[in-house]
């Protein structure tokens, strides 16, 4: 199994091999190979902006299955392997029936225009197999790299999370749509809030004609 440095899968495999060697009494250095993966260390600067995401989608047109997978991850914030476990029977709503959390959930495209323009309703799942979610995820990661995507597939999920902040999504709702707990969502993405984000939210509240008004003498 080939994994990328400083990723969740590299850390998981290194710790698993370390544990097996411990049981067998074999000397090893697998724990030194876990890397520095940390889900809370995601930097907003490493996440592609939406213009780049749309541009990369366009250059994947010679590879329709992978273009569709890319589009699904960009629109719905899916994990890599979840591309293989979703349906669009209620399009534009995406139903995910097997994810990391092992719970069914729904997700929505924050740009419904993308879902329509990219014709995601016409499902074109890549023809790949794998025994585990990790296997499927790695195959998708390698395919994206092979076809010239200049960032990791998971960054499309992070971009969806950033977009949810820009759209003013309640964090608990965004967390549920992404299939993880509010504590995880807050720990990873609350760090991304900037003064501009707060200013936009404040101005949006003020522009609501139904907002509470102060009492007057």
């Amino acid at each position: 199994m080939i994994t990328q440095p400083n990723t969740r899968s590299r850390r998981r495999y290194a710790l698993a091999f370390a544990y097996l060697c411990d049981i067998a009494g074999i000397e090893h250095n697998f724990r030194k190979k876990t890397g520095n993966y940390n889900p809370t260390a995601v930097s907003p600067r490493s996440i592609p902006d939406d213009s780049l995401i749309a541009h990369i989608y366009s250059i994947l047109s010679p590879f329709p299955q992978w273009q569709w997978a890319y589009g699904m991850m960009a629109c719905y914030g899916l994990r890599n392997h979840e591309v293989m476990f979703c349906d669009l029977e209620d399009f534009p709503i995406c139903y995910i029936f097997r994810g990391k959390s092992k719970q069914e959930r729904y997700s929505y495209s924050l740009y419904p225009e993308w879902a329509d323009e990219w014709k995601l309703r016409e499902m074109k799942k890549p023809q790949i197999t794998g025994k585990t979610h990790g296997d499927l995820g790695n195959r998708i990661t390698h395919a994206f790299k092979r076809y010239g995507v200049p960032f990791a597939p998971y960054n499309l999920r992070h971009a969806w999370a950033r977009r949810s902040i820009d759209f003013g999504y309640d964090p608990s709702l965004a967390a549920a749509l992404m299939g993880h707990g509010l504590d995880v969502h807050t720990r990873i993405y609350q760090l991304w809030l900037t003064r501009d984000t707060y200013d936009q939210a404040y101005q949006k509240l003020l522009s609501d004609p139904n907002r509470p008004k102060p009492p007057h003498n």
Side-chain angles (χ1 to χ4, degrees), residues 43-55:
S43 169
R45 291 191 296 270
S46 69
I47 308 305
D49 63 31
D50 290 340
S51 295
L52 177 59
I53 290 174
H55 172 68

Side-chain angles (χ1 to χ4, degrees), residues 8-217:
R8 183 194 297 268
S9 57
R10 171 66 62 86
R11 178 178 177 81
R12 182 187 303 130
Y13 281 113
L15 290 176
F17 284 128
Y19 179 68
L20 290 174
C21 288
D22 290 343
I23 294 176
I26 301 173
E27 293 186 8
H28 65 88
N29 64 349
F30 283 114
R31 287 187 176 83
K32 295 181 179 180
K33 299 182 181 297
T34 56
N36 59 5
Y37 169 77
N38 180 354
T40 65
V42 177
S43 169
R45 291 191 296 270
S46 69
I47 308 305
D49 63 31
D50 290 340
S51 295
L52 177 59
I53 290 174
H55 172 68
I56 297 301
Y57 175 86
S58 68
I59 69 175
L60 289 174
S61 57
F63 318 104
Q65 291 184 341
W66 294 108
Q67 186 183 48
W68 180 86
Y70 176 99
M72 288 295 294
M73 296 181 68
C75 279
Y76 295 102
L78 305 181
R79 300 178 177 93
N80 298 22
H81 70 273
E82 289 176 341
V83 168
M84 308 304 296
F85 301 110
C86 65
D87 73 48
L88 295 167
E89 183 175 343
D90 297 318
F91 183 85
I93 301 170
C94 177
Y95 171 60
I96 301 100
F97 52 87
R98 278 182 63 189
K100 179 186 173 185
S101 63
K102 300 182 180 179
Q103 293 181 341
E104 301 173 355
R105 76 178 196 277
Y106 296 92
S107 187
Y108 295 77
S109 175
L110 294 181
Y111 286 145
E113 296 86 353
W114 277 0
D116 286 329
E117 293 170 8
W118 296 351
K119 299 180 180 179
L120 297 181
R121 183 198 297 265
E122 302 172 11
M123 300 186 72
K124 301 174 184 177
K125 292 184 180 180
Q127 301 301 304
I128 59 174
T129 59
K131 293 182 178 180
T132 66
H133 291 168
D135 292 341
L136 293 171
N138 283 332
R139 284 169 174 72
I140 290 173
T141 295
H142 292 319
F144 277 29
K145 185 175 182 180
R146 182 166 64 249
Y147 295 123
V149 177
F151 45 80
Y154 218 82
N155 280 358
L156 293 172
R157 178 171 166 82
H158 293 317
W160 190 99
R162 179 198 60 207
R163 202 175 303 128
S164 75
I165 295 173
D166 295 340
F167 273 63
Y169 248 127
D170 182 274
S172 61
L173 178 58
L177 293 173
M178 295 187 74
H180 56 213
L182 179 59
D183 59 333
V184 173
H185 191 84
T186 302
R187 187 168 66 249
I188 297 175
Y189 300 117
Q190 196 76 13
L191 300 175
W192 297 16
L193 295 177
T194 64
R195 178 172 178 176
D196 287 343
T197 303
Y198 290 118
D199 286 346
Q200 290 173 15
Y202 181 64
Q203 293 303 322
K204 184 176 181 180
L205 289 173
L206 291 183
S207 65
D208 183 354
N210 297 316
R211 70 175 177 85
K213 298 298 192 298
H216 297 285
N217 294 332

